[in-house]
Structures are given as structure tokens and as C-alpha cells.
Amino acid sequence: MAPRALDYESLNENVKKVQYAVRGELYLRASELQKEGKKIIFTNVGNPHALGQKPLTFPRQVVALCQAPFLLDDPNVGFLFPADAIAKAKHYLAMTTGGLGAYSDSRGMPGVRKEVADFIERRDGYPSDPELIFLTDGASKGVMQILNTIICGESDGVLVPVPQYPLYSAAISLFGGSLVPYYLEETANWGLDVNDLRQSVAQARYKGITVKAMVIINPGNPTGQCLSEANLREILRFCYQENLALLGDEVYQQNIYQDERPFISARKVLMGMGPPMSKEVQLVSFHTVSKGYWGECGQRGGYFEMTNIPPKTVDEIYKVASVSLSPNVPAQIFMGLMVNPLKPGDISYEQFIRESKGIIESLRRRARMMTDGFNSCKNVICNFTEGAMYSFPQIRLPPKAIEAAKKAGKVPDVFYCLKLLEATGISTVPGSGFGQKEGVFHLRTTILPAEEEMPEIMASFKKFNNEFMEQYDDRSGYSRL
């Protein structure tokens, strides 16, 4: 019998090539152990509410009223909801064409896109056009839509930082393109050298690959570094010289844990550089409600903004967005609430500030606790998490451990992470899932476990790590940078 359409051997080869380590072997094994009754600490994905972060009260009140608009007609509604939440719910319901159960424009509700544009103008000091802003089901959908638009075939390349968030490698594989890696330098706090970028482009071109775009993740995932204005200027100048579109993944812009390098958007720097670059460099910037002190991952709200993209291209992107009819409408309201927040004097303002500030301050403390905890462990080196939600420590594996991994048929850092999971219940992601230099091994963990649980988690990690190193220590040398 001939293979049927959905038999494995008949599938699209690009689908088979896709790998996504964040929900890979470690996650599947952790899920099995959880079913068997073992307590699992899922630090493999930046999912704040799953690890105990409380939702912000005000946005949930507003969306609750929008989801159940009959409550607005109840004479007792003012006893259950503050007046500013009631007013905001009416504000957003008036933007819809039939409530949250009705499709919106395929780009998202015009009123919310205007609020996003106003937010960008306040943040960057330069006007933003709502017609060039598309609301999406999380930032990931926007990234995939833009990559799908750029990639025409395997000879089209996209520069991606290594280590990288595997959304990029997965999407590039799915759309049949070529990932062109540029390596971040761990010893320089995951810094970027433009000379390395030039070398990566030259090597790709030598292989017949046309490099069309470059990805930056700022703050970094999994590496946690924040790009300075000088870094961004260099990157934008490089994109101008090499005729590359820049994709700015800026979803962690609220997650900053130091004062030396505050978040600055690529668009702000580009506009400040003036013509010709400010008029010619093609830039697409992404943001989301999933990160920061919102942490609303399950709502799936995001946007992308296009700068210097030709109108005909915008029309094509709109056409493809129309195939899905509408981004999810409740998430659009979350986005509106994020970019058009409460102001001093609003009834719910003080509570909102208290909740949001408390989350960020706690994350800042947890970033320090985790970095210090890793650096106290034998054969573990970890840069401080300046931003985002992750630590990415280097694990200096003894040769005996690397040999044991090979015998078990495992990549060495997968072997280590599986042993860690079995011993402690801590579910991480091996560094090989993000890309790393040959012979160097890492793991990624979120900094999201509850602050009061962090000392116990780090003590558990340290005990496991030190016993692992003792078991495999032959004192003949280690994997290292």
C-alpha cells in the first residue's frame, strides 16, 4: 500500500527538521515524572503565572467586564469593580464590532493599534503610525509571519544570535531558509562583535546564501544581556551597510535588573541616527503581554511595528494576516491596557504600581540569588542576568561525564540536565537547544520560581552538581570556554 498523506514518510521535510528544545526531551521526561507523582519545578519556559506570579488585578478586572458585559448593567457593579475598571471596559467594548466574541480587523482593532502607536511615541520620542502596527497572537506569531514573508528558499539566510531562542531556528527550518549564526562572546558578558557579524555574512555568501535579515534579542534570551545604545548603533550601521532587515525581539523590555544599561529600543536609536539610515534601514520590532510584570503568557497578545517597509509589502503582510481572519480579541485588550496604563490619580493606580513594582523588584532579587547560587557551585560559571527571565550558566563537564553521555547516546549537557531532573525535579533546558560553541556546555533556567523557594532550589542544585562533579571527576581536564 502506498504511503498515505499523513504517514510520517509523506510529511513535509521542513516539518521534520523543526526542533524546539524548550518543549523537547527534558520537558517530556519532566511531564512523565510529574504523572508518576514526583514534584517538578518547571524552569524550562518563561511562564510566570505557572510558577506563582500573581496576575495584575486591574487588567483582569477590565477583561472580566469585557467578557461578561451584562455585568455592566447590574446595579451592583460598582460594589464589585472600581469605577476606572468599569470605564476602561466600556472604552474597549466600544472599539469592538460586537464584543469579544466578534472578529476584529486582521491587523487588530484600530483603537488599540492607536494606543500602541502612542506608547511607542512616548517611549521613543518619535511618531509611530498605527497603520504599520499589527496585533498578533503573542510575539511568536508575528516573528513567524515576518520570517515567512522574508524567506523564499534555502538560499535565503537570517543572521541569528547564538545562543538563540529556538523559535528562530525552528521557524527558519519550517519555512525552508538557512540560519546564519553569529556567536555572542560569553567572556564579554555575551557581547557582540561586528567583525564576527561580517565574518558570518562572508562565510554564508561563500556558501551561496543570500543573507537577508538579522535578528537581535534585547534583552537577551537565553543570555540575559542588555544592548547599549552604542551596540545598537553598530548593529544598525551594519544592517545599513549590508542591506539587511533588522528584526528586533524586544519582548523583555520591562525585565531590567540593573541600572547601568536601561532598555532602549532599536527604533529609537535608528530614528536618532537620522538620514539616510533612519529612512532606509528596514526594521520590524516585536513586543508582548507575556513577559515583564504582566506575564500573561496564556492570553497570547503581541504586536509588531514596521519601519521603512514599502506599502506594497505591508499590503502583502496584511493579506496573509487576513487568512487567519483576526488576532484573539481579549488579548488585544490586554495589549491596550499594557501600552495605555493607569495614570496618577486613577482609583486603581496605587494598587497597580504596588503590584507591578513588587514583581520587578522580586525578579531583580531572584536574578542575583540565582547568579550567586550558580557561581558558588563547583565547575559552574554564570554571568549576571541583566534582563529577561533566564540564567544561562556554563557547566564545565569533566571528561568522564562527557564519555558517560556518549555511552548513553546523549549530548553531554542533555545528559547532565536529565540527571539533574531525576535527582531534584528541576526541569531546565540544555544549552545545546539554543546553540553554543563546540565543547562548551550550558543549561538555561528561568529566574521565575517563587522568591521564598529560591534558596531551597539553589541548595538542591548545588548538592546535585557537587555530587555529579565528584562522581565524574578524574582531574584530567574539563570542558570550558
Side-chain angles (χ1 to χ4, degrees):
M1 179 178 172
R4 295 167 296 176
L6 286 173
D7 287 348
Y8 181 78
E9 56 268 33
S10 301
L11 298 182
N12 182 336
E13 287 300 319
N14 290 341
V15 171
K16 297 179 188 178
K17 290 176 187 174
V18 170
Q19 295 185 10
Y20 190 67
V22 174
R23 293 287 175 94
E25 180 181 1
L26 264 292
Y27 174 77
L28 296 174
R29 179 59 183 145
S31 298
E32 288 175 4
L33 290 171
Q34 188 179 47
K35 288 176 185 175
E36 294 168 11
K38 187 176 180 68
K39 181 185 176 184
I40 302 297
I41 303 162
F42 284 99
T43 70
N44 60 298
V45 62
N47 193 9
H49 292 184
L51 286 166
Q53 181 174 309
K54 299 291 185 228
L56 298 171
T57 303
F58 181 75
R60 288 297 185 97
Q61 289 173 326
V62 174
V63 175
L65 287 166
C66 290
Q67 289 278 22
F70 52 82
L71 292 175
L72 293 168
D73 299 325
D74 191 301
N76 296 314
V77 68
F79 294 108
L80 294 171
F81 295 90
D84 49 4
I86 294 169
K88 275 284 189 182
K90 291 177 178 178
H91 166 75
Y92 285 113
L93 284 170
M95 290 184 185
T96 70
T97 54
L100 272 59
Y103 291 132
S104 75
D105 184 283
S106 299
R107 297 166 296 182
M109 291 187 284
V112 175
R113 289 189 283 120
K114 174 67 165 61
E115 290 181 333
V116 172
D118 292 343
F119 157 77
I120 292 168
E121 182 170 356
R122 289 194 308 273
R123 185 194 65 189
D124 295 344
Y126 299 95
S128 173
D129 183 353
E131 296 300 303
L132 299 175
I133 292 166
F134 282 43
L135 305 183
T136 54
D137 295 338
S140 297
K141 277 288 180 70
V143 168
M144 294 183 75
Q145 185 169 349
I146 295 302
L147 286 173
N148 193 24
T149 304
I150 289 172
I151 294 168
C152 302
E154 63 182 351
S155 64
D156 287 344
V158 180
L159 273 168
V160 176
V162 175
Q164 54 102 23
Y165 176 44
L167 162 67
Y168 292 96
S169 52
I172 291 166
S173 293
L174 184 61
F175 300 136
S178 294
L179 185 148
V180 179
Y182 66 91
Y183 287 90
L184 304 178
E185 182 50 60
E186 187 169 8
T187 57
N189 199 30
W190 299 111
L192 179 156
D193 187 332
V194 172
N195 290 325
D196 291 340
L197 288 176
R198 296 191 196 288
Q199 189 174 6
S200 294
V201 170
Q203 288 172 348
R205 287 174 177 161
Y206 180 76
K207 295 174 185 175
I209 294 169
T210 301
V211 183
K212 298 177 75 174
M214 176 179 175
V215 172
I216 56 170
I217 308 174
N218 181 37
N221 175 11
T223 47
Q225 86 286 6
C226 296
L227 293 174
S228 67
E229 183 173 351
N231 291 150
L232 288 164
R233 283 177 178 275
E234 279 191 310
I235 290 164
L236 288 160
R237 195 171 292 113
F238 172 78
C239 288
Y240 176 71
Q241 291 166 348
E242 299 293 339
N243 196 26
L244 306 179
L246 181 63
L247 309 188
D249 182 334
E250 298 175 337
V251 300
Y252 295 101
Q253 59 189 263
Q254 290 179 345
N255 296 95
I256 306 296
Y257 312 125
Q258 40 71 43
D259 301 320
E260 291 75 28
R261 268 185 301 282
F263 170 77
I264 181 168
S265 74
R267 184 178 183 276
K268 180 175 182 176
V269 176
L270 177 61
M271 293 297 103
M273 294 174 83
M277 279 188 279
S278 63
K279 298 291 187 184
E280 293 187 28
V281 174
Q282 296 183 335
L283 170 66
V284 184
S285 306
F286 304 90
H287 198 11
T288 183
V289 301
S290 298
K291 310 303 178 184
Y293 46 78
W294 287 70
E296 294 281 6
C297 298
Q299 308 293 350
R300 308 313 301 135
Y303 76 74
F304 61 84
E305 182 202 23
M306 297 173 282
T307 302
N308 297 327
I309 308 300
K312 283 188 175 180
T313 302
V314 175
D315 289 344
E316 293 298 311
I317 293 169
Y318 188 8
K319 177 183 71 178
V320 173
S322 299
V323 173
S324 298
L325 293 172
S326 164
N328 125 37
V329 176
Q332 296 182 48
I333 294 173
F334 274 102
M335 179 57 74
L337 290 162
M338 185 180 82
V339 298
N340 185 19
L342 289 159
K343 297 170 181 61
D346 290 339
I347 296 166
S348 301
Y349 176 78
E350 293 298 333
Q351 181 183 15
F352 178 82
I353 292 298
R354 187 168 61 251
E355 290 174 351
S356 57
K357 189 176 179 183
I359 290 166
I360 290 297
E361 288 179 348
S362 175
L363 285 169
R364 184 183 278 233
R365 290 191 296 270
R366 281 178 271 174
R368 176 52 65 190
M369 291 164 70
M370 191 162 267
T371 304
D372 291 347
F374 283 133
N375 284 325
S376 74
C377 295
K378 184 177 182 180
N379 298 334
V380 179
I381 306 164
C382 188
N383 286 325
F384 176 62
T385 301
E386 295 180 344
M389 292 180 171
Y390 313 98
S391 279
F392 196 64
Q394 181 189 149
I395 314 295
R396 295 176 57 206
L397 295 174
K400 278 177 66 177
I402 296 172
E403 188 59 35
K406 288 178 182 174
K407 286 180 180 175
K410 302 290 183 188
V411 175
D413 53 9
V414 173
F415 178 78
Y416 178 90
C417 290
L418 282 168
K419 294 284 188 184
L420 171 66
L421 172 64
E422 301 278 352
T424 67
I426 301 171
S427 175
T428 59
V429 188
S432 51
F434 302 92
Q436 55 197 352
K437 290 183 177 178
E438 187 70 30
V440 182
F441 306 105
H442 299 82
L443 63 80
R444 189 194 79 167
T445 175
T446 70
I447 62 169
L448 296 174
E451 187 173 348
E452 61 270 18
E453 296 175 8
M454 194 68 82
E456 182 183 347
I457 291 169
M458 295 313 297
S460 177
F461 176 87
K462 184 171 184 175
K463 180 175 182 293
F464 160 79
N465 178 78
N466 290 351
E467 289 174 356
F468 180 96
M469 295 300 171
E470 194 65 36
Q471 178 182 353
Y472 292 102
D473 187 1
D474 62 3
R475 307 193 184 282
S476 65
Y478 295 83
S479 69
R480 62 174 300 157
L481 208 57

